[in-house]
Amino acid sequence: MTEQKNAENGHSEELSFWRKYVFSTDHKVVGKQYLFIALFMAILGGVMAYYMRWQLAWPETAVPGAGWIPEPTAFGGIIPPEFYNALTTMHGTIMVFFVGMPFLLGAFGNFLLPLMIGAKDMAFPRLNMMSVWTLFLASLVMIASFFVEGGAASAGWTGYAPLSADPIHTGVTWGLNLWILGLALEFTSFLMGGINFLTTTITMRAPGMTMYRLPLMVWMQITAAVIFMLSVGPLIAGAILLLLDRTVGTGFFIPELGGDPLLWQHLFWFFGHPEVYVVLLPGFGAIMEILPVFSRKPIFAYKTIIWSTIIAGALSFLVWAHHMFVSGMDPRLAMPFSITTILISVPFAVVIFAFMATLWGGSIRFTTPMLFALGTVMTFIVGGATGIFNGSAPVDIFIHDTHFVVAHFHFTLFPDVFLGGFAALYFWFPKMFGRMMNETLGKIHFWVTTIAFNAVFIPMFVLGLGGSMRRVYNPLQYDFLKPMQGINEFITYAAIVLLLGQFIFMFNFFWSMFKGKKAERNPWNATTLEWSVSYPIPHDNFATIPTVYHGPYEYSLPGNKSDWQPQHEENEPVSG
Amino acid sequence: MLDHWFPKNISTYGGEIDSVFYLIFYIVGIGFLLGEAAIFYFLIRYRRRDGKKAAFVNGERWSQAAWIIIPTAIVLVLDLWIDFAGAQAYDAIKGEMPVSETIVQVTGKQFNWIINYPGPDGIFGTEDDLTKENDLYVPVNKAVKTILKSEDVIHSFFVPVLRLKQDMVPGRTIEAWFEATETGKYEIACAELCGYGHYTMRGFLHILSEEDYAAWVSENWPDTNSESN
Ligand SMILES: [Cu+2]
Ligand SMILES: [Cu+2]
């Protein structure tokens, strides 16, 4: 009871098991809870991807491993179209909102932010606990939606009205209501999280930790939090209107009742595009920490990166209608949105060039986190570049709603969430669990993941250019798609390899947690504050709050003997 | 080199779309290759070697920042080029709609295309209207205006060979046009998820030569002579 915030010497051992590991207010425990929710939901999302891929390669045959699903959801492993639509919908929803956000913002944001700025905890520790438990509840609601009568939501992860607005169109009743509820809870969770991130960063920085000495991971987290808070409002309103349409008979999105289906699309994408950057920036933040450490160089153009990402974030509020070029909105709106969309490549080009310049002249060590970080950059370039095609209004007329778009956004989000997330996990694992992950297994995991990922999604661009529409249950329905069925089969084989490859990670993760090599305090010779505390880190992190003397990336300073200068040490460290 | 990726193009404006695609493909493709090659080169050239220290370059000075400012400026110029080419193509497709004598109304309905021809009087809702399901007959080398509607949810009228895709939104009437340059029978697909039968929403576009189209007209409207066409 008296432990609370004033505990001077971190005697948190006195807490009961429940308060320490379950209902904990410690940002580090909260961060790990986010991590486990994200990993669990990622397994769900991955299994759904497997079911979908099997159906697309060998339509209407029994999916091995789906025999357990009871009727009428599936029939002896054969997936009917209703369930297929639920799979595409829920795969997207889960991967974006229940994996991408919890993994990058929830887990790493919570775990790292107070440590990196030299604070004892988040500004509002109880709110922090509440945000992770709200997410937990949201996850349960999402999972439960599969088990209600009528099945889970099947109107696409974008939930376009009126398909989503009236149960008669899909036959899905409570499944879609729970989908809305689950999303609303998720938004609430990350709103509370965002308030914490911002307040903590603004008010609780250690002495000497100026805004321009913050590690970029912190900058990316708070930029993402601000983008999220500014964009989610309209969608929360939209979600409530949609729920009212479904349950009490209003008609906000139903034309017969005077509503407008395009209103939903505007509300959704006004949030939807900024949301991409909410997920993207923290993943980039991790890369921005890892590249300097393993190049032994400062990040190139620190301030320029900060301002570029803020500009990209601001621009992201002006591009949403690029999702709506063929939606029936006034065609005169298309070119202005096309131009803003293509121009958003400029701030991102700055960031990518800064990454490249960081490598120049470095002393590069290919550790597992570094491999994943480089993999993130090199594959993200494909995602960014292919965005130009979608952003061009005339080209989008043809590729809109095809697999080209599916391949494009997987090439942006997969590198960021998974390659970037894995980079972060291999990198900070010693700080989170006190042990090192196995490097050899890590490198095998890296090569299997990146090669299989490219084998899945590069051919998918070709499918899309052939005209293959997304969300089509059985591509063999169309003569013009039949000649490309071999590509679908190839993609499915590659997807199976990609998913199986993750067992290497899971084994490494759990084995290293208990049996891995004990980690030193600062195994990578990194400069930021989280590496100044030893594992296990006490509840209040720092026995005495450190004073910060340096910027976050002072590697290979001329005149220094050692090649790194910790932020909290006035002079260079004694041992090289 | 890339032609076999796309379905063949048989519309007057499809070539515009394809050429903007190629323009972007070459610009972005070259940029991509240069970028990846530079990264590979840096990784090999600057791999860790004993006794070699990394250079201290933080990019804060203008002379260093130029390394990223110059390539970024190039990106900006290329972006504007792509925007400009795109705007021209978009204007050709979505700008002024050409005058067309052939007008058809296509209505999406879970999970069929209902096709309405106004008949010889050219007016919808009169006795000589003709309604068909899933088969759209049009003449070749003539601008065709389609009036797109939906009865229930959003569908998307997609004809890959025409490079035409337009959502059909309930409560709205949306017009789209095309002019086909080749005769034949081609598939119409639904490109917007519209329910469990979305994937079955397949139709056919029959592009007929002038004579065949006249024959088709007189077959369907036998009382009228062909001159009203
Ligand atoms: Cu977008
Ligand atoms: Cu459809």
Side-chain angles (χ1 to χ4, degrees):
Chain A
M1 284 117 281
T2 48
E3 99 288 351
Q4 300 308 347
K5 283 202 249 170
N6 301 347
E8 306 268 86
N9 313 314
H11 35 256
S12 47
E13 316 75 48
E14 291 159 27
L15 292 172
S16 72
F17 173 84
W18 286 94
R19 287 297 309 276
K20 200 169 166 190
Y21 296 109
V22 185
F23 297 105
S24 170
T25 55
D26 181 343
H27 71 97
K28 300 181 290 299
V29 177
V30 170
K32 287 181 201 173
Q33 289 171 331
Y34 273 111
L35 177 66
F36 287 111
I37 292 176
L39 293 179
F40 178 77
M41 296 304 270
I43 295 171
L44 280 189
V47 170
M48 289 181 201
Y50 160 68
Y51 290 166
M52 284 189 280
R53 278 315 319 172
W54 187 280
Q55 164 63 25
L56 288 174
W58 303 285
E60 292 168 65
T61 61
V63 184
W68 63 275
I69 302 171
E71 294 179 16
T73 305
F75 300 89
I78 296 176
I79 290 173
E82 291 86 347
F83 185 44
Y84 179 82
N85 289 346
L87 286 173
T88 57
T89 303
M90 297 302 283
H91 168 81
T93 303
I94 284 176
M95 287 303 201
V96 172
F97 297 105
F98 291 85
V99 179
M101 292 177 73
F103 196 13
L104 299 175
L105 286 122
F108 293 108
N110 272 294
F111 185 84
L112 293 171
L113 197 137
L115 286 172
M116 283 183 152
I117 67 170
K120 286 184 179 259
D121 203 326
M122 284 285 183
F124 309 112
R126 286 178 185 207
L127 189 69
N128 206 24
M129 177 174 90
M130 191 155 135
S131 53
V132 76
W133 282 102
T134 307
L135 180 76
F136 182 73
L137 189 64
S139 310
L140 289 184
V141 169
M142 278 295 165
I143 294 168
S145 77
F146 276 100
F147 300 98
V148 296
E149 215 186 311
S154 64
W157 84 279
T158 49
Y160 275 15
L163 188 63
S164 58
D166 190 333
I168 65 165
H169 298 309
T170 54
V172 177
T173 50
W174 267 96
L176 214 147
N177 297 350
L178 290 177
W179 178 80
I180 298 171
L181 198 67
L183 281 179
L185 285 169
E186 202 265 7
F187 297 154
T188 315
S189 161
F190 280 93
L191 276 174
M192 293 190 285
I195 291 168
N196 241 327
F197 283 20
L198 264 186
T199 316
T200 309
T201 309
I202 291 170
T203 61
M204 292 173 68
R205 282 169 286 125
M209 181 62 89
T210 60
M211 288 308 272
Y212 278 144
R213 277 183 185 165
L214 285 175
L216 285 170
M217 181 62 157
V218 177
W219 268 107
M220 296 304 122
Q221 293 284 352
I222 58 171
T223 310
V226 172
I227 297 173
F228 183 75
M229 289 194 273
L230 292 178
S231 62
V232 80
L235 187 59
I236 292 178
I240 292 168
L241 301 183
L242 187 63
L243 195 61
L244 292 175
D245 278 9
R246 292 182 60 80
T247 51
V248 305
T250 58
F252 294 104
F253 306 117
I254 301 171
E256 299 92 83
L257 302 175
D260 186 354
L262 289 194
L263 173 63
W264 169 263
Q265 295 184 25
H266 283 293
L267 295 174
F268 185 88
W269 289 118
F270 181 79
F271 161 78
H273 197 92
E275 166 68 10
V276 176
Y277 298 162
V278 172
V279 178
L280 195 67
L281 294 183
F284 271 21
I287 304 309
M288 293 167 191
E289 300 304 316
I290 293 167
L291 290 178
V293 172
F294 298 109
S295 308
R296 312 311 290 166
K297 277 190 64 201
I299 191 96
F300 191 87
Y302 169 86
K303 287 180 192 170
T304 315
I305 289 178
I306 294 169
W307 286 103
S308 295
T309 50
I310 291 173
I311 289 169
L315 268 176
S316 76
F317 287 88
L318 303 173
V319 299
W320 80 90
H322 63 206
H323 299 269
M324 299 171 61
F325 288 151
V326 302
S327 69
M329 69 172 187
D330 191 323
R332 284 167 298 186
L333 279 175
M335 272 330 285
F337 276 101
S338 188
I339 291 167
T340 52
T341 300
I342 290 175
L343 287 180
I344 214 167
S345 66
V346 171
F348 279 110
V350 171
V351 174
I352 298 289
F353 290 136
F355 288 166
M356 291 166 65
T358 303
L359 299 172
W360 185 90
S363 173
I364 298 168
R365 268 173 64 209
F366 297 98
T367 58
T368 304
M370 183 63 165
L371 285 178
F372 272 102
L374 292 168
T376 308
V377 177
M378 296 177 80
T379 41
F380 178 82
I381 293 177
V382 179
T386 49
I388 307 263
F389 295 94
N390 304 323
S392 174
V395 177
D396 185 69
I397 294 174
F398 180 65
I399 60 179
H400 183 82
D401 266 329
T402 68
H403 282 106
F404 189 95
V405 176
V406 179
H408 155 72
F409 66 70
H410 280 87
F411 252 106
T412 58
L413 287 176
F414 186 97
D416 182 66
V417 173
F418 289 105
L419 300 183
F422 284 136
L425 200 49
Y426 283 98
F427 185 66
W428 280 293
F429 189 88
K431 202 59 20 193
M432 296 177 107
F433 299 102
R435 293 171 187 272
M436 306 297 288
M437 283 182 82
N438 182 286
E439 274 286 301
T440 314
L441 286 177
K443 283 175 182 163
I444 298 171
H445 176 221
F446 168 75
W447 287 109
V448 172
T449 304
T450 40
I451 292 172
F453 166 77
N454 281 285
V456 171
F457 289 101
I458 290 176
M460 206 178 278
F461 284 117
V462 180
L463 270 187
L465 294 181
S468 172
M469 299 81 68
R470 64 193 287 204
R471 294 163 173 168
V472 162
Y473 166 68
N474 182 347
L476 298 179
Q477 285 283 320
Y478 289 94
D479 287 334
F480 80 102
L481 296 180
K482 278 180 190 156
M484 294 194 291
Q485 191 56 14
I487 302 180
N488 263 324
E489 289 176 26
F490 177 84
I491 292 176
T492 299
Y493 285 122
I496 291 171
V497 173
L498 178 60
L499 291 168
L500 289 179
Q502 305 318 306
F503 282 104
I504 306 170
F505 164 76
M506 285 207 281
F507 172 77
N508 193 355
F509 181 72
F510 288 109
W511 185 84
S512 302
M513 202 182 287
F514 301 104
K515 292 267 152 66
K517 198 179 96 200
K518 279 239 157 65
E520 299 161 36
R521 183 173 56 83
N522 188 356
W524 317 113
N525 291 350
T527 52
T528 42
L529 289 182
E530 78 272 25
W531 301 104
S532 71
V533 285
S534 321
Y535 186 86
I537 308 171
H539 189 155
D540 52 2
N541 296 345
F542 302 94
T544 42
I545 294 289
T547 304
V548 173
Y549 300 98
H550 300 275
Y553 306 109
E554 303 206 347
Y555 293 97
S556 305
L557 274 175
N560 270 22
K561 262 179 76 187
S562 61
D563 65 359
W564 87 101
Q565 174 61 62
Q567 283 195 275
H568 65 289
E569 284 175 30
E570 195 162 6
N571 303 309
E572 69 170 310
V574 241
S575 62
Chain B
M1 144 196 173
L2 308 169
D3 288 350
H4 61 279
W5 282 354
F6 289 108
K8 82 168 171 186
N9 165 47
I10 58 156
S11 80
T12 48
Y13 54 62
E16 309 259 0
I17 289 178
D18 294 3
S19 59
V20 178
F21 177 88
Y22 294 136
L23 173 73
I24 301 175
F25 183 82
Y26 288 117
I27 292 177
V28 154
I30 290 168
F32 165 77
L33 290 177
L34 289 176
E36 301 282 351
I39 294 176
F40 271 116
Y41 172 74
F42 292 167
L43 293 182
I44 295 164
R45 170 83 171 68
Y46 299 110
R47 68 188 184 280
R48 199 186 89 89
R49 274 171 291 186
D50 285 329
K52 258 283 270 121
K53 239 185 131 180
F56 183 84
V57 187
N58 61 14
E60 299 292 334
R61 283 207 316 269
W62 278 102
S63 58
Q64 293 170 351
W67 299 356
I68 62 173
I69 291 170
I70 292 166
T72 303
I74 295 172
V75 168
L76 178 65
V77 171
L78 295 174
D79 278 355
L80 293 173
W81 182 11
I82 291 168
D83 281 331
F84 187 70
Q88 280 183 319
Y90 194 78
D91 188 52
I93 301 162
K94 295 278 175 177
E96 201 89 335
M97 213 177 270
V99 215
S100 52
E101 289 164 22
T102 320
I103 300 173
V104 204
Q105 182 175 303
V106 184
T107 307
K109 184 187 173 192
Q110 286 181 328
F111 299 98
N112 279 299
W113 309 99
I114 298 163
I115 294 160
N116 265 299
Y117 302 89
D121 64 357
I123 300 164
F124 287 102
T126 52
E127 235 169 58
D128 64 347
D129 284 15
L130 177 70
T131 303
K132 289 193 168 268
E133 278 200 353
N134 301 327
D135 283 288
L136 172 57
Y137 293 87
V138 298
V140 73
N141 293 328
K142 290 254 165 66
V144 176
K145 182 160 121 186
T146 56
I147 298 169
L148 303 175
K149 292 183 172 181
S150 168
E151 276 190 14
D152 37 39
V153 298
I154 299 176
H155 304 275
S156 191
F157 183 72
F158 178 34
V159 189
V161 290
L162 296 177
R163 308 287 187 270
L164 167 62
K165 186 182 287 133
Q166 177 59 58
D167 287 3
M168 308 161 129
V169 183
R172 286 185 186 228
T173 302
I174 299 164
E175 294 182 350
W177 72 279
F178 63 87
E179 182 177 335
T181 56
E182 262 179 55
T183 58
K185 181 182 173 189
Y186 303 95
E187 284 172 298
I188 300 170
C190 180
E192 183 64 64
L193 177 66
C194 55
Y196 65 88
H198 166 55
Y199 72 109
T200 61
M201 220 168 138
R202 173 188 185 216
F204 294 98
L205 172 67
H206 304 262
I207 301 165
L208 306 179
S209 66
E210 206 172 324
E211 307 83 68
D212 289 352
Y213 187 70
W216 179 80
V217 169
S218 54
E219 190 186 306
N220 283 287
W221 290 277
D223 332 332
T224 51
N225 43 25
S226 53
E227 75 207 31
S228 49
N229 259 283

